[in-house]
Amino acid sequence: MKKLAIGKIYLIFVFILLYLPIFYLIVYSFNSGQSMNGWAGFTFNHYHELFSDARMIEIVLNTLIVAVLSSLISTIIGTIGAYWIYQTKNKKIANRILSLNSVLLVSPDVIIGASFLILFTVVGMQLGFLSVLLSHVAFSIPIVVLMVLPKLKEMPKTIIEASDDLGATGYQTLSNIILPYIQPGILAGFFMALTYSLDDFAVTFFVTGNGFSTMAVEIYSRARRGTSLEINALSAIMFLVSLFLVLIYYFISNPKKGGKK
Amino acid sequence: MADIKPIIEFKNVSLDYQDNRVLHNIDLEIEQGKFYTLLGPSGSGKSTILSLISGKNSPSEGDVLIDGKIVNELPANKREVNTVFQNYNLFPNMNVYENVAYGPKLKKLPAKKIDQLVKDMLSLVRLSDFEQNEITELSGGQQQRVAIARALANEPKVLLLDEPLSALDYKLRKEMQYELREIQQRLGITFIFVTHDQEEALAMSDWIFVMQNGRIEQSGTPVDIYDEPINHFVADFIGEANIIEGIMKEDYLVSFVGKEFKNVDAGMKPNERVEIVIRPEDLDIVAPSKGKLQVTIDDQSFRGDFYEITAIDDAGNEWSIQETNPAKIGQRRGLKFDPEDIHIMRFNETEEDFDSRLESYEGEE
Amino acid sequence: MKKSSLTYYISYILWLLLFVILPLVLLLLQALTNQQGNFTLDNFLNYLSSGTYLRMTLNSIFYAFLITLITLIISYPMAYFLTQLKNHQFWMLLVILPTWINLLLKAYAFIGLLSQNGTINSTLSFFGIVPYQLLFTNESFLLVSSYIEIPFMILPIYNSLIEIDSNLIQASQDLGANTWQTIKNVIFPLSLNGVRTGIQVVFIPSLSLFMITRLIGGNRVITLGTAIEEHFLTTQNWHMGSTIGVVLVIAMLVTTYFTREGNKKGRKK
């Protein structure tokens, strides 16, 4: 009634607040002027500019390669970790491991970045692609664990017993029963890892060397030198990609709408 | 009777929920100081009636009146009516005392009065020692009592109880039935109790409304409803009943299983098809020659204080009999009953017609 | 049998050792040694005796507090109204969507919006108001940081609100409470766990935001994060940087302690 009207106005207000900067970026990516001040006319020029910017293309590719690789690796290790915690009979130990697991989730980015920088320096590793990749794998593992573990826990113990009873080996039970069951959790973990990687700036900023850069780091250094509408074009593309990923994630986590299982 | 002003009144109330009519033309009157029960299977509309009184719902048609005023759209928090919920709905962020004090505090009563009210109510439900306990520390039965105290602390004119005992175990339920009845009589406020348990309804109520499919099938005192059910549904739902078809030959004479029996009902058309109700405890097993009906014992089970015996008559009807002595399965026996044990029900008789028919011939006698 | 099966889990165990425990140990070691590699408490003494460091720390905590407060004030009603909507899950997705867009891009948008001849100033001058220095101010830092943190505050509050049994709200109304009294006495106390989580996930990152202080705050606000970045990447004084890092970790642990669950109420029995 009256109360809901006030609520709706407030909701609309906050939603505008949340999306204004994003749409502002996207709208100005089509501005034929050279800055985000004043609309001069419609153009695709900044997109052409972006696609002919070899350095930017290379950096975007780097970012995607790091994101996909780190997500794959962290999904595998994270799933193994979740299974380990699930298998640990002693609740106390399992909880210890779980809180260690969460350390990187609650730590500020700067701490992760700084401590990884010390780590790579101490072991004498060259900063660059590998150090960035390892860091991304490292900070994505805990979220995968947290996505997979609930699926394992809600799996009825009886189906494993039934499989054993029917003569399956441990490996057969794992691949035929357990993995298919926890698959939604693994997929959700993978997507979370992907976004963690794409979203990261601070950790990469610490552990990247001179020769290697990701999109966020590049935007940071360009933004400090001033704005360029090429970045707006990039933002617009990134927004669409994010929207796409969110939709995929939404359908994975709400299987009643999309999936068959 | 008519000069007592009803505290709650429903005038031709109907309620639609998502294109479904869940209540049909309900008329009822609730008087001050009595214990009422809305009895019926789940989905019969009894809780819906409560929701119209409490203010959770508004009628689609007709009027709901409290104290003679139409309250159709009055929000729940403005009504002098409180509810004891099925799952108690105690506030987990407050302790026992704070839960009970919630209503009085909202009314901004003086602190002393609030304290007195809370203490009185907690002693009424025998929880005086639990003032400072957290809700989670209480058993189901204790939570139930807090819920009652909390609702009563608001000093409502009418207390609504929505299947409050259904989550308790059998023994505790029996205890609470007795206690609720006592609290109601002590405070003298109107209770409207919702249950699907006919035993509970019979034990506690001054007046029962039997409901089915959004309609009130019959209302009356527990004895009236038990002894003179209006139709098959009520007879079957309240207590155990043997219901068989028969023909009302004339006033006070009914025929079933190929025989004619004297009875005490009248007012039907000659040779009208009717249903006959005989309660299992009104049947006695006697020697075949002494019985009004001859049956073969089919089955029996021991129920603690009696035997439940099933027998089949020559027309193939099943009879349920309650006897203190066991019977022999397969044996041929007789069934004895008195004319007043037979209750006749007409098909599709409205409550109004039923009442006036009863009045007409009972007046004659 | 269980012991030998540990080999299956070796990758995860290695991760725990090499990337969770070892880096923290190394950070602490750096903080406890000097340039020559000798054990010393000088870094901490230095930190505690320096007005600049202490002021910076207090400043950082103060701004993180403000950011948390602003986001809380905006987010709580937002989360509440969201739960009142029919398809609130869909709308919640729209709240989360902006968090999937790289934070740098969002900061970048604000540079355009706030700059000297940016959109807001041109709009203001259209109404005859003199262009105003918006970017590189404390307020711009607060604005952008709060903007970025709002979804992270809304999410846990929304989750705790959605868990509240609607029957309790009905019971409160039945006992005579109006909507506002029900919110104050029942809904808010029962959503406190969500509020605590929200404070936790906003306050800690707000202590360490360094890119926003640089891009938007114009280095006027120095957070603990900015200081760490400065020491590690600009002045190359890792020992002092690690010391501040340890301070940040302690601040994080303290925050987590005070916002832990089950810290229900002060009442004792």
Side-chain angles (χ1 to χ4, degrees):
Chain A
M1 301 142 274
K2 242 190 299 158
K3 295 239 172 48
L4 210 62
I6 296 169
K8 282 206 171 119
I9 291 167
Y10 187 80
L11 284 174
I12 292 167
F13 169 73
V14 178
F15 270 118
I16 289 175
L17 209 75
L18 281 176
Y19 280 90
L20 182 77
I22 296 163
F23 287 122
Y24 174 77
L25 274 185
I26 295 175
V27 167
Y28 271 98
S29 73
F30 299 106
N31 186 13
S32 63
Q34 279 312 307
S35 69
M36 285 189 267
N37 317 323
W39 180 256
F42 184 88
T43 180
F44 277 118
N45 274 348
H46 305 292
Y47 289 86
H48 293 299
E49 211 180 303
L50 175 68
F51 288 120
S52 53
D53 183 343
R55 180 175 158 80
M56 199 42 137
I57 298 284
E58 189 199 323
I59 286 169
V60 169
L61 283 179
N62 282 345
T63 310
L64 291 178
I65 290 169
V66 168
V68 171
L69 269 184
S70 69
S71 312
L72 279 175
I73 300 169
S74 58
T75 302
I76 294 168
I77 300 178
T79 306
I80 292 171
Y83 195 68
W84 185 40
I85 295 171
Y86 169 71
Q87 284 270 295
T88 305
K89 297 283 179 310
N90 188 329
K91 281 275 163 299
K92 239 185 185 167
I93 296 176
N95 280 333
R96 286 271 159 74
I97 303 171
L98 203 55
S99 37
L100 263 185
N101 181 72
S102 303
V103 166
L104 289 185
L105 275 182
V106 296
S107 296
D109 300 350
V110 193
I111 295 291
I112 301 176
S115 62
F116 282 8
L117 175 61
I118 302 173
L119 175 74
F120 291 131
T121 313
V122 166
V123 300
M125 184 190 260
Q126 186 84 46
L127 295 182
F129 171 74
L130 197 60
S131 61
V132 172
L133 180 67
L134 280 176
S135 303
H136 282 221
V137 169
F139 68 62
S140 299
I141 286 175
I143 189 67
V144 176
V145 173
L146 289 193
M147 289 286 162
V148 174
L149 193 57
K151 282 277 161 215
L152 281 168
K153 281 187 174 161
E154 74 184 33
M155 182 171 61
K157 292 240 185 326
T158 45
I159 67 169
I160 297 169
E161 282 165 21
S163 172
D164 292 344
D165 185 70
L166 293 168
T169 63
Y171 174 75
Q172 284 168 326
T173 302
L174 186 71
S175 65
N176 293 329
I177 308 291
I178 298 174
L179 280 182
Y181 193 92
I182 62 172
Q183 188 198 12
I186 296 177
L187 267 175
F190 175 78
F191 272 94
M192 288 307 286
L194 204 60
T195 47
Y196 268 44
S197 172
L198 288 175
D199 205 36
D200 178 66
F201 161 70
V203 177
T204 314
F205 189 64
F206 271 87
V207 299
T208 192
N210 287 328
F212 188 80
S213 186
T214 63
M215 221 162 47
V217 175
E218 179 69 11
I219 294 168
Y220 179 73
S221 62
R222 287 194 188 192
R224 297 188 76 178
R225 281 184 262 128
T227 58
S228 134
L229 293 189
E230 191 189 331
I231 306 274
N232 292 55
L234 182 63
S235 310
I237 294 171
M238 287 300 298
F239 179 73
L240 285 180
V241 172
S242 304
L243 195 63
F244 183 66
L245 285 178
V246 167
L247 286 178
I248 291 179
Y249 178 74
Y250 184 65
F251 284 119
I252 288 175
S253 52
N254 295 288
K256 51 187 177 235
K257 285 205 163 176
K260 287 150 259 167
K261 277 178 204 169
Chain B
M1 268 195 287
D3 53 320
I4 297 175
K5 227 179 73 193
I7 188 162
I8 290 173
E9 229 177 318
F10 275 46
K11 287 187 176 161
N12 200 25
V13 170
S14 295
L15 182 70
D16 298 329
Y17 181 71
Q18 291 176 351
D19 297 337
N20 278 329
R21 181 143 286 202
V22 291
L23 279 184
H24 301 266
N25 312 87
I26 302 287
D27 280 298
L28 58 79
E29 288 186 3
I30 303 284
E31 284 166 20
Q32 173 68 45
K34 283 190 180 169
F35 197 118
Y36 290 88
T37 297
L38 296 164
L39 172 65
S42 58
S44 58
K46 50 197 190 319
S47 293
T48 315
I49 287 189
L50 275 203
S51 75
L52 287 169
I53 302 174
S54 73
K56 192 186 161 199
N57 284 322
S58 296
S60 308
E61 279 167 33
D63 289 318
V64 176
L65 290 87
I66 299 181
D67 267 342
K69 284 185 218 83
I70 295 177
V71 294
N72 294 355
E73 303 294 334
L74 194 71
N77 55 340
K78 301 250 167 64
R79 299 190 186 198
E80 285 177 273
V81 166
N82 290 110
T83 311
V84 177
F85 297 93
Q86 183 167 14
N87 304 315
Y88 321 141
N89 295 348
L90 298 174
F91 304 123
N93 55 313
M94 305 176 194
N95 65 19
V96 170
Y97 186 97
E98 291 164 330
N99 262 285
V100 179
Y102 188 76
K105 268 188 189 154
L106 290 174
K107 284 195 201 155
K108 305 227 160 52
L109 296 180
K112 256 201 182 144
K113 167 97 167 111
I114 295 175
D115 192 58
Q116 196 52 48
L117 256 175
V118 174
K119 293 214 154 83
D120 286 352
M121 290 308 142
L122 283 176
S123 96
L124 186 70
V125 297
R126 298 191 284 115
L127 278 180
S128 294
D129 296 338
F130 293 84
E131 274 183 17
Q132 297 305 317
N133 281 58
E134 298 298 329
I135 298 306
T136 46
E137 298 166 344
L138 302 181
S139 70
Q142 289 169 331
Q143 292 190 14
Q144 171 69 79
R145 290 161 194 274
V146 177
I148 294 167
R150 184 178 70 173
L152 288 173
N154 241 12
E155 302 181 297
K157 288 189 172 147
V158 177
L159 185 72
L160 310 177
L161 302 106
D162 191 359
E163 306 223 16
L165 307 183
S166 58
L168 304 179
D169 63 46
Y170 181 77
K171 211 167 160 230
L172 206 53
R173 201 158 69 223
K174 287 272 168 207
E175 265 175 52
M176 283 307 294
Q177 285 174 10
Y178 173 76
E179 248 182 83
L180 272 177
R181 182 75 181 131
E182 214 188 43
I183 289 173
Q184 190 269 329
Q185 280 169 346
R186 178 126 50 108
L187 298 178
I189 58 175
T190 311
F191 276 31
I192 305 178
F193 186 89
V194 162
T195 182
H196 59 263
D197 183 340
Q198 46 96 13
E199 228 178 291
E200 203 163 271
L202 292 175
M204 300 171 78
S205 323
D206 292 319
W207 195 265
I208 297 176
F209 297 95
V210 185
M211 295 197 64
Q212 187 197 16
N213 296 331
R215 289 188 174 85
I216 295 177
E217 295 280 349
Q218 188 174 11
S219 65
T221 64
V223 175
D224 283 349
I225 287 179
Y226 189 81
D227 286 348
E228 284 161 353
I230 186 171
N231 58 25
H232 191 115
F233 169 78
V234 177
D236 198 33
F237 193 72
I238 313 259
E240 306 264 317
N242 294 298
I243 306 171
I244 47 174
E245 284 196 27
I247 290 171
M248 197 68 187
K249 292 283 180 188
E250 55 191 67
D251 284 358
Y252 312 118
L253 188 68
V254 64
S255 115
F256 54 89
V257 204
K259 294 184 176 183
E260 292 189 351
F261 301 91
K262 276 199 165 157
N263 67 309
V264 294
D265 289 281
M268 294 81 171
K269 284 176 280 184
N271 291 321
E272 184 179 331
R273 275 183 59 237
V274 292
E275 283 181 304
I276 291 113
V277 181
I278 305 178
R279 299 288 181 186
E281 67 271 20
D282 292 336
L283 292 169
D284 291 315
I285 295 180
V286 293
S289 58
K290 287 186 180 163
K292 293 188 175 176
L293 265 179
Q294 281 68 45
V295 294
T296 309
I297 308 293
D298 185 53
D299 196 11
Q300 76 171 348
S301 58
F302 182 54
R303 289 294 168 87
D305 34 8
F306 61 86
Y307 285 90
E308 171 121 6
I309 297 162
T310 317
I312 295 177
D313 67 23
D314 299 335
N317 298 307
E318 231 185 56
W319 293 84
S320 166
I321 308 132
Q322 287 173 7
E323 271 283 3
T324 41
N325 299 315
K328 257 207 190 104
I329 293 174
Q331 212 175 32
R332 187 102 181 128
R333 301 303 307 264
L335 287 186
K336 209 186 102 195
F337 46 87
D338 297 327
E340 52 269 25
D341 294 333
I342 302 173
H343 170 68
I344 310 289
M345 303 184 301
R346 303 175 81 182
F347 287 97
N348 302 318
E349 192 172 32
T350 64
E351 197 177 359
E352 217 173 310
D353 294 343
F354 175 80
D355 286 343
S356 62
R357 181 170 60 81
L358 251 60
E359 239 164 77
S360 70
Y361 73 79
E362 275 174 354
E364 269 170 35
E365 272 175 66
Chain C
M1 188 195 132
K2 244 189 83 203
K3 289 262 152 53
S4 68
S5 67
L6 276 182
T7 48
Y8 293 121
Y9 310 119
I10 193 71
S11 56
Y12 183 77
I13 293 167
L14 274 177
W15 168 77
L16 275 182
L17 294 175
L18 291 180
F19 287 97
V20 178
I21 297 168
L22 187 59
L24 286 178
V25 171
L26 288 173
L27 189 80
L28 191 61
L29 277 180
Q30 284 280 325
L32 291 173
T33 51
N34 59 20
Q35 305 282 7
Q36 286 72 45
N38 299 322
F39 176 82
T40 174
L41 284 175
D42 280 356
N43 296 321
F44 284 98
L45 294 175
N46 197 358
Y47 170 84
L48 288 172
S49 60
S50 147
T52 324
Y53 282 133
L54 290 178
R55 219 173 305 122
M56 178 273 293
T57 308
L58 284 180
N59 213 23
S60 181
I61 290 172
F62 176 67
Y63 274 98
F65 170 77
L66 281 184
I67 293 166
T68 311
L69 192 68
I70 294 169
T71 51
L72 181 61
I73 289 169
I74 295 176
S75 303
Y76 196 94
M78 180 74 177
Y80 175 77
F81 291 132
L82 276 170
T83 58
Q84 307 285 301
L85 293 179
K86 270 206 192 79
N87 30 11
H88 46 83
Q89 272 164 326
F90 168 76
W91 292 104
M92 204 49 217
L93 198 73
L94 282 188
V95 171
I96 300 168
L97 184 61
T99 68
W100 289 48
I101 291 156
N102 196 299
L103 174 144
L104 261 296
L105 291 177
K106 285 181 279 188
Y108 186 80
F110 277 98
I111 297 177
L113 277 168
L114 300 175
S115 63
Q116 191 78 50
N117 40 14
T119 305
I120 290 181
N121 266 328
S122 358
T123 315
L124 285 180
S125 63
F126 182 79
F127 291 105
I129 299 166
V130 189
Y132 184 75
Q133 174 67 36
L134 295 169
L135 200 59
F136 307 136
T137 58
N138 298 347
E139 291 75 22
S140 65
F141 169 70
L142 282 176
L143 171 74
V144 178
S145 305
S146 305
Y147 168 78
I148 285 166
E149 302 292 356
I150 280 175
F152 298 104
M153 183 65 94
I154 295 177
L155 185 64
I157 296 176
Y158 164 86
N159 283 338
S160 67
L161 283 174
I162 223 72
E163 267 176 30
I164 296 176
D165 185 354
S166 63
N167 287 323
L168 291 178
I169 293 155
Q170 195 199 328
S172 173
Q173 277 163 357
D174 186 84
L175 291 166
N178 59 33
T179 309
W180 169 244
Q181 287 167 323
T182 303
I183 291 176
K184 193 183 90 186
N185 295 315
V186 179
I187 298 177
F188 185 71
L190 289 176
S191 64
L192 272 182
N193 272 336
V195 173
R196 282 192 202 100
T197 311
I199 291 174
Q200 202 174 322
V201 298
V202 169
F203 187 78
I204 297 170
S206 298
L207 286 174
S208 61
L209 288 167
F210 73 85
M211 43 299 195
I212 293 172
T213 62
R214 291 236 191 284
L215 291 177
I216 307 284
N219 286 340
R220 294 169 61 93
V221 185
I222 308 284
T223 63
L224 288 170
T226 323
I228 295 169
E229 187 252 358
E230 181 110 9
H231 280 101
F232 268 88
L233 301 178
T234 312
T235 63
Q236 299 284 333
N237 184 353
W238 289 16
H239 301 282
M240 203 56 219
S242 300
T243 308
I244 301 169
V246 172
V247 171
L248 183 51
V249 170
I250 291 169
M252 178 186 111
L253 293 177
V254 171
T255 313
T256 320
Y257 177 80
F258 279 113
T259 53
R260 73 194 186 282
E261 236 177 84
N263 180 16
K264 216 167 79 169
K265 40 199 152 174
R267 190 182 335 104
K268 296 259 149 53
K269 257 201 318 131

